[in-house]
Amino acid sequence: MMLPSDALRLSLHNILLHKVRSILTSLGIIFGVGSVIAMLAVSEGAKRAALQQIEAMGIDKIIIYSQKPPPSGADSQTSRSIQYAESYGLTNIDLVNLQKMDNIKRVTVVRNVRKNVLKGLDRLDVKLVAVTPDFLEDSGSEIESGRWLTPADMKNKQPVCVIGTEARRKLFALGQTDVVGSLLRIDTESYKIVGVLRNDMGTQYPELGTPGNMVFIPYTLSEALFGSFTISKETAVPVVTQIDYDVFIVSVDKLEYIDNTANRVTQYFNTSHSKVKDWDIIIPLDLLKQREATQNIFTIVMSSIAGISLIVGGIGIMNIMLASVYERRKEIGTRRALGAQKGDILFQFLIETVFLTSMGGILGILLGVGISKIITHYANMPTYYSPVSIIAALLISSFVGVLFGTYPAWKAAQQNPIDVLRSN
């Protein structure tokens, strides 16, 4: 019986004798494993980014927001006044009733002040919003520099503001990061910047966007300066709009009852806003579960497609190894005549196949990691490859070698030395 070390040495010798054929044999596995790693990295990266964005809103939160109802078709002008008035969305009565419900810990309010934020004469896509101090915790944000709005700011209606990092980039010169203490003028009012807010979680609120692109002022100051009315002059006829609140961030006490709480909230709004649907609701926990299920299906489909290339690569290896068996019949017959057993021949060819697929797997892993890095760099898409997926890809490539190399190895071991030597 041949020693395993001798079988390995002989197998490597035969592989190195046919370098080009060995490389071509491994190409199917290299590209197969590379595609598996790259596809799983893209899929997992997209999954993590999406789930992180949903989690950023808080799985213990219920998000309720105002939305402009569709036009009814009827002439809603009740007078010949030069101004047109409309009122919709979340109200003070809604806030009071929500705060009375069971399993609701607190309701954090957000209001879009709807003032144009300018840099020179250019209007920026930056939201001026009025919030309460609880917003910082409920939005998953943190202070990069300075401080957040305090209860004292709320009580005294201080003309202060906190700006998001994206808003800072748009409002100030490139590279200017030390903006705490500066004055920011919006419309006819000036606000002292007391802090800069950073949101790395990718939080998004309906109709408002990300906190990083907002300027925050105390809610009480907004009430004192602007009330709940805004006047839009973008149309031929100025429009007066009344919206008490744009977003309610509802925090629950017990997460296990969040579905029941959301149902009660929905029933309340269906009743209190029965005339027109001027609100909507988001339950991040439900979105999280749905997105996880969808992404898992997507990952399975992507893995299946990539797995097909591994099968094709395995078939290619089997084909080439069968051709190698035929080409090396004289070698096999000579070794058998000199005393080699069928098991020795089987083991040698199996080692060759497994070595080729394992090396192909290693090169495929490097290729897949490289592709994912290129995708991240040029397409700005997040990718993630875990050590588990890399180890799994290597084990799968070795398994492919065993699976598709067994038959050629068995075929080689069945060669009759007398017939083989006689034919040559």
Side-chain angles (χ1 to χ4, degrees):
M1 187 72 180
M2 181 183 291
L3 294 175
S5 58
D6 293 334
L8 179 60
R9 179 177 53 80
L10 185 58
S11 298
L12 292 179
H13 175 72
N14 287 322
I15 289 173
L16 293 176
L17 279 177
H18 306 88
K19 298 182 181 66
V20 175
R21 185 176 65 186
S22 300
I23 293 173
L24 293 176
T25 303
S26 301
L27 279 180
I29 298 299
I30 292 173
F31 289 116
V33 172
S35 62
V36 169
I37 295 294
M39 286 186 177
L40 287 179
V42 171
S43 175
E44 186 64 22
K47 174 182 177 181
R48 286 171 175 259
L51 297 184
Q52 184 182 48
Q53 187 175 5
I54 295 172
E55 287 177 344
M57 290 192 289
I59 60 173
D60 63 336
K61 304 289 190 298
I62 300 172
I63 310 298
I64 311 164
Y65 61 97
S66 300
Q67 63 176 8
K68 190 171 183 177
S72 60
D75 185 5
S76 53
Q77 286 185 327
T78 57
S79 68
R80 294 178 179 261
S81 171
I82 61 171
Q83 291 188 345
Y84 171 78
E86 59 181 2
S87 176
Y88 62 88
L90 310 178
T91 66
N92 286 303
I93 296 176
D94 296 330
L95 177 62
V96 172
N97 289 328
L98 284 179
Q99 291 172 334
K100 294 178 181 178
M101 290 187 182
D102 294 335
N103 198 38
I104 289 182
K105 181 167 58 177
R106 67 170 175 264
V107 181
T108 301
V109 300
V110 183
R111 183 171 185 272
N112 183 4
V113 181
R114 293 174 174 81
K115 295 293 181 182
N116 294 331
V117 180
L118 304 177
K119 184 178 182 180
L121 298 177
D122 298 327
R123 186 171 67 177
L124 302 178
D125 182 25
V126 175
K127 302 289 186 183
L128 176 64
V129 299
V131 295
T132 53
D134 292 332
F135 178 83
L136 179 66
E137 178 184 352
D138 290 339
S139 66
S141 305
E142 58 184 26
I143 292 298
E144 182 181 274
S145 59
R147 65 172 178 86
W148 178 242
L149 304 176
T150 65
D153 295 330
M154 294 284 292
K155 180 178 180 181
N156 299 322
K157 304 174 184 177
Q158 292 291 337
V160 296
C161 70
V162 174
I163 67 173
T165 51
E166 181 66 15
R168 177 185 62 188
R169 183 186 67 81
K170 295 178 179 179
L171 285 165
F172 293 92
L174 184 64
Q176 184 178 355
T177 57
D178 187 16
V179 299
V180 175
S182 303
L183 286 179
L184 180 63
R185 187 172 182 83
I186 300 177
D187 205 8
T188 59
E189 305 297 331
S190 295
Y191 308 92
K192 181 180 180 180
I193 300 175
V194 296
V196 177
L197 176 142
R198 183 176 71 249
N199 185 280
D200 298 327
M201 302 290 288
T203 309
Q204 293 280 340
Y205 291 108
E207 312 293 336
L208 293 177
T210 175
N213 197 40
M214 298 179 188
V215 176
F216 304 92
I217 62 175
Y219 187 82
T220 51
L221 176 65
S222 171
E223 283 284 281
L225 293 176
F226 313 114
S228 59
F229 293 91
T230 58
I231 300 177
S232 173
K233 298 181 180 179
E234 297 180 356
T235 57
V237 178
V239 178
V240 178
T241 303
Q242 179 184 12
I243 301 177
D244 291 340
Y245 305 101
D246 286 273
V247 175
F248 286 157
I249 306 174
V250 180
S251 302
V252 299
D253 278 316
K254 296 181 179 180
L255 184 61
E256 59 268 29
Y257 300 128
I258 190 171
D259 288 336
N260 292 333
T261 304
N263 289 335
R264 284 189 283 111
V265 169
T266 302
Q267 290 174 3
Y268 163 76
F269 276 97
N270 283 334
T271 303
S272 61
H273 295 246
S274 58
K275 293 183 178 180
V276 64
K277 180 68 179 297
D278 56 357
W279 63 278
D280 211 340
I281 187 170
I282 295 176
I283 308 170
L285 182 60
D286 288 350
L287 289 179
L288 186 67
K289 293 176 181 177
Q290 294 170 7
R291 195 58 182 261
E292 281 181 333
T294 303
Q295 286 293 337
N296 288 336
I297 294 173
F298 179 71
T299 300
I300 292 173
V301 173
M302 295 279 282
S303 302
S304 300
I305 294 173
I308 294 174
S309 60
L310 278 177
I311 295 175
V312 173
I315 294 173
I317 284 180
M318 179 187 289
N319 184 39
I320 294 178
M321 291 305 294
L322 284 173
S324 177
V325 168
Y326 182 80
E327 180 184 318
R328 295 161 59 185
R329 292 178 68 205
K330 185 176 180 179
E331 173 197 335
I332 296 169
T334 302
R335 290 191 58 206
R336 288 294 310 279
L338 292 175
Q341 303 296 316
K342 288 184 178 181
D344 297 331
I345 304 298
L346 175 69
F347 190 53
Q348 177 192 340
F349 275 83
L350 198 56
I351 285 179
E352 289 184 24
T353 309
V354 172
F355 182 81
L356 287 173
T357 54
S358 297
M359 289 304 298
I362 293 173
L363 294 175
I365 289 171
L366 296 177
L367 177 64
V369 171
I371 291 174
S372 64
K373 287 185 177 295
I374 290 173
I375 291 173
T376 300
H377 180 74
Y378 289 102
N380 199 26
M381 291 177 59
T383 56
Y384 178 83
Y385 41 88
S386 65
V388 174
S389 64
I390 291 176
I391 294 173
L394 185 58
L395 293 177
I396 290 172
S397 65
S398 300
F399 174 74
V400 168
V402 174
L403 181 65
F404 291 95
T406 300
Y407 178 70
W410 176 84
K411 193 74 174 174
Q414 299 305 310
Q415 299 294 317
N416 189 318
I418 297 176
D419 294 337
V420 169
L421 291 176
R422 183 180 299 166
S423 65
N424 290 277

